[in-house]
Amino acid sequence: MSSSARRGQLFVVSAPSGAGKTTVVEGLIAATAGVRRSRSYTSRRARPGETDGVDYHFVSRPRFEAMIAGGQFLEWAEYAGNLYGTAVVDTERELEAGADLVLVIDVQGARQVRRHRPSSVLVFVLPPSAAVLEARLRNRGEESEADIGRRLEAARGEVRAVAEYDYVVVNDAV
Ligand code: 5GP
């Protein structure tokens, strides 16, 4: 690292799916120069409208597992039956270049980042209520009933971790 360059700050944003974190983070990035969003790897299939290399790096489960074995992830987790992770090299490239980086990741991943990078700032986005969360998940119309059930179950567990975060944002705007 060049001694004169400022190293970027790492931010973690977590929220149950349906809390509207994508909208919050995209609003933040549009409004703030020098902040970038990290692109995760996942073994889940792309939803309609998602693009490989834009929304995620979509990879097979065996490829993901090989990356775990190779120590390539800063953090990774299994969420609702799929694997998700942040590659160390991607993160380092951005931070070294001085960009502030936002990782939009689950609670398990956030804990790993806190452990490995204690100077990270952790933000939790909450929906206004459980009923609003469920309605948002259904309105997306992208998931099966079983998927929605898995995501609601995961959400109940995640919300309990809110006290581990530095900041809480209630998103009642979308
Ligand atoms: P989705 O399938 O809705 O895109 O994401 C499901 C969950 O996985 C969300 O909570 C999302 O924030 C989380 N997630 C996405 N990328 C990563 C990642 O790289 N690591 C971890 N730990 N969670 C991730």
Side-chain angles (χ1 to χ4, degrees), residues 13-18 21-22 37-42 44-45 47 50 55-56 58 64 73 75-80 82-87 103-113 137 140 142-143 151 154 158:
V13 176
S14 302
S17 68
K21 62 182 172 291
T22 310
R37 180 180 172 168
S38 128
R39 189 167 298 120
S40 297
Y41 285 77
T42 183
R44 96 156 152 67
R45 276 193 296 185
R47 296 187 190 124
E50 286 183 330
D55 300 284
Y56 282 104
F58 293 99
F64 196 110
F73 288 117
E75 62 74 35
W76 67 272
E78 180 149 16
Y79 185 95
N82 297 302
L83 299 170
Y84 298 84
T86 308
L103 312 184
V104 184
I105 63 177
D106 84 326
V107 166
Q108 307 168 74
R111 289 186 182 129
Q112 295 167 48
V113 174
L137 280 177
R140 284 210 298 218
E142 292 158 349
E143 256 95 22
R151 281 167 187 271
E158 284 174 313

Side-chain angles (χ1 to χ4, degrees), residues 8-9 29 46 74 83 93 131-132 134 137 142 166:
Q9 169 70 47
I29 287 168
L74 169 64
L83 299 170
R93 191 188 318 110
V132 168
E134 183 163 353
L137 280 177
E142 292 158 349
D166 301 307

